[in-house]
Amino acid sequence: LSNGRVVNCTVSPFSGDDADSQLVQVVVDITYESELSSERDRLMFSLNERIKELDCLNKISHLSERPDLDARSYVQTVKELLPKAFRFAEKVRVSVKLYHYGFEHDPVDFRQHACIQRSIFVHQRNVGELIAYYPGEAGHEHELFLAEENKFMDTVSQSVAEGISRIEAVKRSKQLHFLYETLSATNRVMVRAQSQEELIDEFFEVLSGTSAFPVLFVASVGSGQPGPSLNLIKTFGVPDPMQEKI
């Protein structure tokens, strides 16, 4: 109705004792029920959107625990997960850039698109940016992005920062552990070795037994013309053509 009320109107034929047929009209004000239905639909929509966001955040939070992911592959996986959390998942695009990890976002002029942009801070240092955008929809951010999606991007950027920090911490811990183990092993070799040949053999065995040195060789320096030359003693992972050039 013009006053904003919602009514349900039904008309039924009615026949009395006389020969003329009559109609019975029943009008019921269902404004309250209509408002409840609309509110229920709105709440269900909002609930479904929050479920999508929570599911995405849960997956992101577990990503950094995977030992096979470095910072670049972690961010790439986040980029693939994020679109599913937005209202228009089939239209939204996500771009990520990490300044210090060689991960560049798509070469896009974001001034032409509706977008939400968030910086990624790790230990108070800006290490990258996270952008969700709708191509060719500049100026329509309010129609395309829900208010909650802005808050969602805040949470995602913080979660990504924590994930990168955790991955880097694990990486440094592994590097320190490797250096400690290698240093301990080489020190034991130097203490045990009884000759130069034994020292070279055991030292070479320790270094070649790690995955840190895909190519390794030990050589002595000889004098000659037109200058000093290298005489290979032991090699690991050095192709034959390269050995001839050394």
Side-chain angles (χ1 to χ4, degrees):
L1 299 178
S2 59
N3 61 0
R5 308 298 292 178
V6 179
V7 299
N8 180 32
C9 180
T10 59
V11 179
S12 301
F14 176 77
S15 298
D17 295 334
D18 55 3
D20 296 330
S21 296
Q22 300 178 7
L23 297 176
V24 175
Q25 182 181 31
V26 179
V27 178
V28 180
D29 188 335
I30 59 170
T31 303
Y32 181 68
E33 290 81 355
S34 178
E35 290 175 349
L36 285 179
S37 178
S38 298
E39 179 66 10
R40 181 191 61 196
D41 293 342
R42 187 189 69 79
L43 290 175
M44 289 300 298
F45 170 78
S46 180
L47 178 61
N48 288 332
E49 292 301 310
R50 300 299 79 74
I51 289 174
K52 291 195 299 182
E53 293 172 3
L54 287 174
D55 180 62
C56 181
L57 288 171
N58 183 56
K59 291 178 179 178
I60 290 175
S61 68
H62 286 87
L63 274 180
S64 61
E65 300 173 5
R66 287 176 49 181
D68 60 315
L69 293 183
D70 57 13
R72 293 184 62 185
S73 54
Y74 167 76
V75 170
Q76 176 62 38
T77 307
V78 169
K79 178 181 176 181
E80 296 168 357
L81 287 173
L82 272 182
K84 300 176 183 178
F86 285 86
R87 173 169 52 162
F88 303 116
E90 71 284 355
K91 295 181 180 180
V92 72
R93 300 290 181 269
V94 173
S95 181
V96 184
K97 181 177 182 179
L98 294 182
Y99 303 136
H100 307 287
Y101 302 88
F103 192 94
E104 297 289 335
H105 60 48
D106 306 324
V108 176
D109 183 1
F110 294 104
R111 294 173 298 179
Q112 301 178 11
H113 313 303
C115 66
I116 301 176
Q117 184 173 346
R118 295 291 184 271
S119 295
I120 302 171
F121 287 91
V122 176
H123 303 307
Q124 299 182 342
R125 183 182 64 161
N126 189 354
V127 301
E129 55 186 346
L130 180 67
I131 304 171
Y133 67 97
Y134 289 96
E137 297 288 350
H140 296 280
E141 284 82 1
H142 294 296
E143 294 97 3
L144 294 169
F145 290 108
L146 299 171
E148 292 82 0
E149 289 175 342
N150 280 273
K151 299 177 183 178
F152 169 68
M153 285 289 284
D154 291 334
T155 306
V156 170
S157 63
Q158 181 178 353
S159 181
V160 169
E162 292 172 353
I164 293 174
S165 177
R166 192 178 300 116
I167 289 173
E168 290 300 294
V170 171
K171 179 181 177 181
R172 287 192 296 271
S173 176
K174 289 181 178 179
Q175 289 173 338
L176 289 173
H177 178 73
F178 167 76
L179 291 174
Y180 172 78
E181 291 294 328
T182 303
L183 182 61
S184 298
T186 54
N187 285 339
R188 289 193 296 270
V189 168
M190 287 187 287
V191 171
R192 291 198 309 261
Q194 301 297 317
S195 65
Q196 178 177 333
E197 290 76 13
E198 185 179 352
L199 175 65
I200 292 175
D201 288 343
E202 294 193 18
F203 192 78
F204 189 83
E205 183 178 350
V206 168
L207 296 182
S208 61
T210 71
S211 58
F213 307 102
V215 176
L216 182 68
F217 67 86
V218 176
S220 62
V221 180
S223 59
Q225 297 296 330
S229 60
L230 292 178
N231 300 314
L232 295 178
I233 299 175
K234 282 183 170 295
T235 64
F236 174 78
V238 181
D240 292 338
M242 186 180 295
Q243 294 185 32
E244 296 174 0
K245 296 179 180 179
I246 296 177

